[in-house]
Amino acid sequence: MGKFFCVLGAVLVLILQPLTASINQQDPAPLQVKDYQIGPNDLLEITVFELPELNQTVRVSEDGSITLSLLGKVEVSRLTAQELEKKLAALLDQQYTKGAHVTVFIREYQKVSVLGAVGRPGSYELIGPATLLEVIAQAGGLTPLAMKDIYVYRQGKDGQQTRMVINIEALMISGEPGLNIELQPKDVVTIPMDQMFNVFVYGEVRTPGVVSFLGSRKITLLQAIAQAGGTTEWAKKAKVVVKRKDKKTGKEIVLHVNLRNMLANKQADITLEEGDVVIVP
């Protein structure tokens, strides 16, 4: 009998697993934060059980107010959902009905924008206090193309926009205090994307072809040849040629380089540009 119940239990688990998975995959209801302060552009769902005509979904205006069908304009900025419930109930007590039961549900929260070199650029809701690192993590983290600085643009009360520059290395590696700032609604976080460029290395190198580099980091002739596997034993190092197109005229410029002297520190290494062709004869 005990074996029978064990088998029956296992069968029930297998039957219920798909049902449980389908329930878990449903979109969860928006998270409500007890101490969250309502602000411009939040979307509020208001229900008054005694006065159904007051039930409505309304977006908070830029001045921090909402307009309700019976009560008119109501200031809601910096109130929590619970505080607004009490405020609306008090207003209804004065004008319409005693002991009104009011619920306020926040459907959409204030947002910040994260743009540039992150995994998932877009707008993100500020559900309670959130730091710069928390929002970047929510946006999928930085990509390898992220440049050295983060820019946070913020609109002041006077309408003037300010820009904060935060060094990524100081923020994420050094962990300097004060750089992981708390974001505010409507902040725009921009992580500039580096650009990938190519040069071409041909001739007596071990892996001739395209050599890619980031625009912010540049690449030198010695570095490009090293990335191409280095020269072969048949290379004429004293007769390396770099071909480059003049950006203004479009004419070809030919640079002659003695790689032996460069390797012996008798000649300075040169910085390559996008589209340069290096030929090792």
Side-chain angles (χ1 to χ4, degrees):
M1 183 65 70
K3 290 183 178 178
F4 171 76
F5 282 112
C6 288
V7 172
L8 179 61
V11 171
L12 286 172
V13 168
L14 290 173
I15 293 172
L16 291 173
Q17 271 182 344
L19 177 60
T20 305
S22 65
I23 292 172
N24 290 338
Q25 288 171 3
Q26 292 178 355
D27 292 334
L31 177 65
Q32 299 294 289
V33 179
K34 184 177 179 181
D35 297 325
Y36 176 80
Q37 293 182 337
I38 295 168
N41 298 316
D42 284 350
L43 189 66
L44 308 180
E45 184 180 298
I46 298 171
T47 305
V48 182
F49 295 99
E50 291 79 9
L51 293 169
E53 59 269 33
L54 197 61
N55 297 349
Q56 63 186 101
T57 299
V58 60
R59 192 172 295 279
V60 182
S61 65
E62 290 293 334
D63 64 2
S65 68
I66 58 174
T67 301
L68 301 178
S69 53
L70 295 180
L71 295 175
K73 187 174 182 179
V74 180
E75 296 293 332
V76 301
S77 185
R78 298 191 177 277
L79 297 178
T80 66
Q82 292 77 17
E83 289 170 342
L84 180 56
E85 289 172 353
K86 293 177 181 178
K87 181 174 182 176
L88 293 177
L91 290 172
L92 290 170
D93 280 351
Q94 295 171 11
Q95 302 179 39
Y96 295 101
T97 181
K98 294 290 184 181
H101 294 84
V102 182
T103 61
V104 175
F105 191 83
I106 304 174
R107 278 288 171 195
E108 292 180 9
Y109 291 83
Q110 301 169 78
K111 296 180 179 181
V112 294
S113 299
V114 186
L115 309 174
V118 290
R120 297 183 297 275
S123 295
Y124 291 86
E125 292 182 335
L126 279 180
I127 306 178
T131 65
L132 176 60
L133 285 178
E134 287 171 341
V135 171
I136 288 175
Q138 193 178 358
L142 300 178
T143 71
L145 289 179
M147 296 187 74
K148 64 178 183 177
D149 292 320
I150 298 171
Y151 300 95
V152 180
Y153 297 91
R154 179 170 295 170
Q155 198 82 16
K157 293 181 180 179
D158 56 358
Q160 296 295 316
Q161 188 179 70
T162 60
R163 185 184 78 163
M164 290 170 276
V165 183
I166 298 170
N167 183 266
I168 291 176
E169 184 176 344
L171 172 67
M172 295 188 167
I173 300 176
S174 303
E176 290 187 17
L179 292 184
N180 189 23
I181 61 173
E182 186 174 312
L183 295 180
Q184 297 180 9
K186 297 185 180 180
D187 279 356
V188 178
V189 179
T190 302
I191 301 97
M193 295 181 68
D194 214 339
Q195 204 169 353
M196 191 69 75
F197 293 111
N198 296 319
V199 294
F200 307 89
V201 184
Y202 297 125
E204 290 302 321
V205 289
R206 301 193 184 278
T207 53
V210 179
V211 173
S212 299
F213 66 98
L214 292 175
S216 65
R217 297 175 187 173
K218 304 295 185 182
I219 193 170
T220 68
L221 177 60
L222 288 180
Q223 289 170 340
I225 290 175
Q227 287 190 39
T231 58
T232 68
E233 56 268 36
W234 299 286
K236 293 183 178 179
K237 296 179 183 178
K239 296 185 177 181
V240 173
V241 172
V242 178
K243 293 185 177 181
R244 174 179 299 167
K245 277 193 176 181
D246 187 280
K247 293 179 181 178
K248 293 181 179 179
T249 64
K251 293 182 178 179
E252 186 177 75
I253 301 171
V254 179
L255 307 175
H256 298 276
V257 180
N258 188 327
L259 199 59
R260 290 186 185 279
N261 290 342
M262 196 172 283
L263 290 168
N265 290 324
K266 295 179 180 179
Q267 182 178 345
D269 198 359
I270 62 173
T271 300
L272 298 181
E273 298 179 1
E274 158 72 0
D276 279 359
V277 178
V278 179
I279 301 172
V280 182

